[in-house]
Amino acid sequence: MRAVILAAGEGKRMGHHTDDVPKAFLEFDGRTLYDRQRELLEPHVDGTSIVLGYRHDTVLERYDPDDPIVLADWNQYENAASLLLALRRIDDDLLVLNGDILVDERELERLTEQFDALRGRLNLVGCIPGIQSESTAIRWDDAGRVTAYGLIEGHQHAGFGIVSRNHRPAAMRILQERLDDWYPYIYPKTPTQPLLIPATRHVEVNRPADLERARAWLASERIQCA
């Protein structure tokens, strides 16, 4: 299995913090989000790629990330185009991580263990339990198969998951038709099972105030993270 971090967007909600670099390369406490994510993923995958777009030249020069994939015309698409580019390049099971989230390493271990138990028959998508309507959400049926994704009432998408190599061709076809959409659109369209994770084991950096939240989260004795 390989991993890909999706980090092509500008992150406008971060204001001046992303004038020079995308969110994944914001530095706090001496390290970038990307550096923490790469270390977090390392025990579970054979390598990590990253999809870049906004300020990619600055990122490549300043940080020299592992296996960069540059999305040309990144500002004309949504992140479906980023995942499509990664799937075209990587013929393997693919652990997908949004460039603005951190998750407790125990949840990544649960994700990969559950995927191995399924023997690649299903994709997996991380979700935070509890019906809400403020963030993009996932719903599933009584059989545990994902049936819907979007700005709907449901369980919050946690920003990570695994696309099985078995469903890679179908995922690429679906994404090609929806380049102006968010990539989790593939989950209801291909056989996918949710993985519920506690909200306390997940943090997302969307706004400047979230940097302080991330610092406090990382400092918590209850969290295991890079």
Side-chain angles (χ1 to χ4, degrees):
M1 181 186 301
R2 288 187 57 85
V4 63
I5 298 169
L6 303 183
E10 181 176 352
K12 289 183 178 180
R13 286 180 290 180
M14 292 300 298
H16 68 86
H17 292 280
T18 52
D19 284 348
D20 296 324
V21 292
K23 282 190 291 185
F25 290 88
L26 290 176
E27 295 186 35
F28 59 100
D29 294 346
R31 298 177 66 188
T32 63
L33 271 171
Y34 165 72
D35 182 53
R36 295 177 189 277
Q37 290 179 316
R38 182 178 56 179
E39 186 173 332
L40 185 66
L41 290 163
E42 188 174 4
H44 306 289
V45 297
D46 297 322
T48 298
S49 304
I50 182 166
V51 179
L52 301 171
Y54 171 72
R55 297 290 189 186
H56 67 271
D57 48 350
T58 301
V59 170
L60 294 174
E61 181 179 346
R62 189 180 300 176
Y63 297 101
D64 190 27
D66 293 343
D67 196 28
I69 304 171
V70 175
L71 176 64
D73 301 322
W74 59 272
N75 55 341
Q76 297 182 25
Y77 305 109
E78 271 295 348
N79 58 23
S82 294
L83 181 55
L84 176 60
L85 196 61
L87 287 169
R88 283 175 171 168
R89 176 161 167 171
I90 301 167
D91 183 8
D92 203 345
D93 301 318
L94 191 60
L95 198 163
V96 185
L97 185 67
N98 290 7
D100 57 5
I101 70 124
L102 289 171
V103 62
D104 190 297
E105 63 184 10
R106 289 168 292 188
E107 300 308 316
L108 281 187
E109 184 174 2
R110 284 183 59 225
L111 179 78
T112 54
E113 286 179 351
Q114 184 165 327
F115 182 77
D116 288 344
L118 292 168
R119 299 184 183 276
R121 294 190 300 272
L122 302 173
N123 302 327
L124 286 176
V125 57
C127 305
I128 297 172
I131 301 299
Q132 54 81 49
S133 58
E134 296 181 359
S135 302
T136 51
I138 302 249
R139 290 203 301 256
W140 51 88
D141 61 20
D142 292 341
R145 296 292 182 93
V146 171
T147 56
Y149 166 81
L151 294 172
I152 57 176
E153 287 191 345
H155 305 271
Q156 182 182 345
H157 176 227
F160 70 98
I162 297 176
V163 178
S164 171
R165 187 177 191 172
N166 293 337
H167 303 302
R168 175 174 170 261
M172 288 192 292
R173 289 194 300 271
I174 293 162
L175 291 168
Q176 180 62 55
E177 296 173 356
R178 300 289 292 250
L179 296 179
D180 58 348
D181 211 331
W182 297 322
Y183 77 86
Y185 178 80
I186 65 171
Y187 292 129
K189 303 296 181 179
T190 55
T192 301
Q193 185 178 92
L195 176 78
L196 292 174
I197 72 163
T200 54
R201 292 191 175 184
H202 169 276
V203 66
E204 185 172 354
V205 178
N206 272 324
R207 296 173 176 84
D210 293 334
L211 292 172
E212 194 57 41
R213 286 182 57 243
R215 289 189 182 97
W217 185 84
L218 287 164
S220 171
E221 293 181 355
R222 295 174 298 173
I223 295 301
Q224 296 180 16
C225 190

